[in-house]
Amino acid sequence: MTKQPTGALLFVLSCAMGVGPLLNYGLSATSPLIITDLGISESQFGLLATAIFASAAVCSMWLGRLSDRISNRAQLILIFAGTAVALVIASLAHHYFVLLVAALLAGPAQAISNPTTNRIIIHHVAATKRPGWIGVKQSGVQGSQLFAGLFFPPVALWLGWQGATALAAVVAVGLLLYGLRHLPEEKPITTAAPGRAAAPPAAVEAKGYPLAVWLFAGYALLTGLGMQATNVYLPLFTVRELDFSLLLGGLAAGVSGVVGVTSRILWGREMAKGRRASTLLILLGLGALLGAAALLGAGELGSPLLLWLGVALHGATVLGTNVVVMAGVMKVVPAARVGSASGVVSMGMYAGFAAGPLLMGLLLEGSGTFRPGWILVGAGYLLCVLLALVLRRHGNRHGVPK
């Protein structure tokens, strides 16, 4: 009798998703202190997030293929230990260049997190339960955002931002030890839902990937751009435009994370009910567009109410897109290629993650206002809606529920 996966494994998968972004969320939550302490510009600060995600984007496809070949244990060590090393180096950074090196080292740990966790789920979780598991494990990213928003600002005011980063490294090591104790055996199972094919015909091509994978990657790129442009600069935006304190700015990021945790679980449940990915992605894109408009309005009108509305919409929509995208990937590729296909989508996502903070920082420094940045973010979300419509039309044409 096959041993069923436990709640402990789901917690490990959620932590594996959340630990990688801990450095960039921590830097974002303490951005006013870092900018002042190191004497850097807003665009230089944005370059840190760009470095993290550019590093992740470059590694994503290779690490995705690697995840289909190496053990779960080795992948977990790469994720948690790699993050801990980056955090330790950041804690020793008294010069911008050292912090930039830490950012580059944080990328690979994030790049392999989706392929690793998707691979474990598809081999050890029954098909009917996979979307729900994806929703919960993806919420680990927003759990990390919440943790960073609540942990880094007060600890930074106590021990400095370097001290907060060092303590975060200790947390990463503790999570690694816990995770290694609760990994499933390296004997994957391939349970499928009764009466349901393991994958659509287009997924079993000997070479290349279905068009849907590339559409998912494009959607991930555009939402990734807006997601990290917002995540990285939200605390600074609240402090500068709305006169929030450092703690309240961190709380804004934390609230977004709380909403994001809930939204990822709920969107995962919608996928589990058999909702079409394209339908959900259209709704998510429209909601994200409204959120960007609210943040733009908050800056223009100095309105805290619009700020909190934008934060809530950001968490409810943008932060939930990865669940739908990753669950969609599992429907269009066979289990043996989930890792590599996830790597393709992750490459798009991290390319967007890299571009978002860089562009937002350059626009902020060039204009002295967040207005052009929010317009850029909104334009990206509008393109997401168009991509989702193409995905829906492609699914209709080929008879595949995309």
Side-chain angles (χ1 to χ4, degrees):
M1 182 177 179
T2 303
K3 185 178 179 181
Q4 296 301 308
T6 65
L9 175 60
L10 186 55
F11 176 73
V12 170
L13 297 180
S14 299
C15 291
M17 290 300 304
V19 74
L22 198 54
L23 176 61
N24 36 296
Y25 285 142
L27 295 179
S28 175
T30 55
S31 55
L33 296 180
I34 295 173
I35 290 172
T36 301
D37 188 32
L38 298 183
I40 59 177
S41 66
E42 292 89 350
S43 61
Q44 284 179 303
F45 176 76
L47 184 60
L48 294 172
T50 296
I52 293 174
F53 298 127
S55 173
V58 169
C59 297
S60 286
M61 290 190 70
W62 176 74
L63 287 173
R65 290 192 295 268
L66 183 68
S67 73
D68 286 327
R69 296 182 176 90
I70 65 175
S71 70
N72 296 335
R73 187 180 185 87
Q75 294 178 60
L76 215 64
I77 291 173
L78 177 57
I79 292 170
F80 287 96
T83 299
V85 169
L87 287 166
V88 168
I89 292 175
S91 73
L92 301 174
H94 294 283
H95 298 282
Y96 177 70
F97 175 76
V98 179
L99 200 55
L100 195 59
V101 170
L104 290 170
L105 291 176
Q110 295 189 50
I112 199 172
S113 60
N114 266 309
T116 297
T117 53
N118 287 350
R119 176 180 179 268
I120 291 173
I121 286 175
I122 203 167
H123 286 308
H124 295 274
V125 179
T128 54
K129 295 182 178 180
R130 288 172 194 163
W133 273 61
I134 294 172
V136 175
K137 68 98 173 174
Q138 294 292 152
S139 71
V141 177
Q142 269 53 65
S144 176
Q145 186 177 16
L146 171 61
F147 173 80
L150 299 178
F151 173 84
F152 277 88
V155 177
L157 292 175
W158 174 39
L159 298 175
W161 64 269
Q162 289 101 333
T165 307
L167 284 182
V170 175
V171 172
V173 172
L175 290 173
L176 171 61
L177 297 177
Y178 180 86
L180 292 175
R181 291 179 54 194
H182 292 89
L183 276 181
E185 297 178 2
E186 292 290 332
K187 293 181 179 179
I189 62 174
T190 54
T191 52
R196 180 176 174 180
V204 295
E205 298 171 359
K207 294 182 180 180
Y209 300 98
L211 175 61
V213 170
W214 298 105
L215 292 173
F216 284 135
Y219 197 101
L221 187 153
L222 293 168
T223 52
L225 186 153
M227 183 188 301
Q228 289 306 325
T230 303
N231 287 344
V232 170
Y233 280 100
L234 181 62
L236 188 64
F237 172 68
T238 62
V239 170
R240 292 200 176 178
E241 300 293 322
L242 298 170
D243 295 323
F244 280 21
S245 66
L246 180 66
L247 291 176
L248 192 55
L251 179 62
V255 168
S256 177
V258 170
V259 178
V261 169
T262 305
S263 75
R264 289 194 166 193
I265 293 173
L266 292 178
W267 290 117
R269 288 179 179 174
E270 288 301 306
M271 285 293 289
K273 293 176 182 177
R275 309 289 191 206
R276 295 180 65 169
S278 57
T279 300
L280 297 182
L281 291 177
I282 291 170
L283 294 174
L284 286 165
L286 292 172
L289 184 58
L290 289 175
L295 291 174
L296 174 62
E300 294 298 304
L301 302 175
S303 170
L305 179 61
L306 285 176
L307 180 280
W308 292 114
L309 175 62
V311 166
L313 285 171
H314 176 70
T317 58
V318 185
L319 301 186
T321 56
N322 207 22
V323 175
V324 179
V325 167
M326 289 300 172
V329 168
M330 286 190 181
K331 290 185 176 183
V332 298
V333 295
R337 303 190 69 196
V338 161
S340 59
S342 298
V344 171
V345 176
S346 293
M347 178 185 66
M349 179 180 68
Y350 288 120
F353 283 2
L358 176 63
L359 294 174
M360 179 70 92
L362 290 174
L363 290 171
L364 174 60
E365 189 171 353
S367 66
T369 174
F370 282 89
R371 185 186 306 117
W374 295 132
I375 292 174
L376 172 68
V377 168
Y381 295 151
L382 180 60
L383 289 175
C384 284
V385 176
L386 297 178
L387 273 182
L389 290 171
V390 173
L391 179 67
R392 185 175 185 83
R393 183 179 180 184
H394 174 68
N396 288 338
R397 182 179 300 171
H398 292 81
V400 179
K402 299 184 182 71

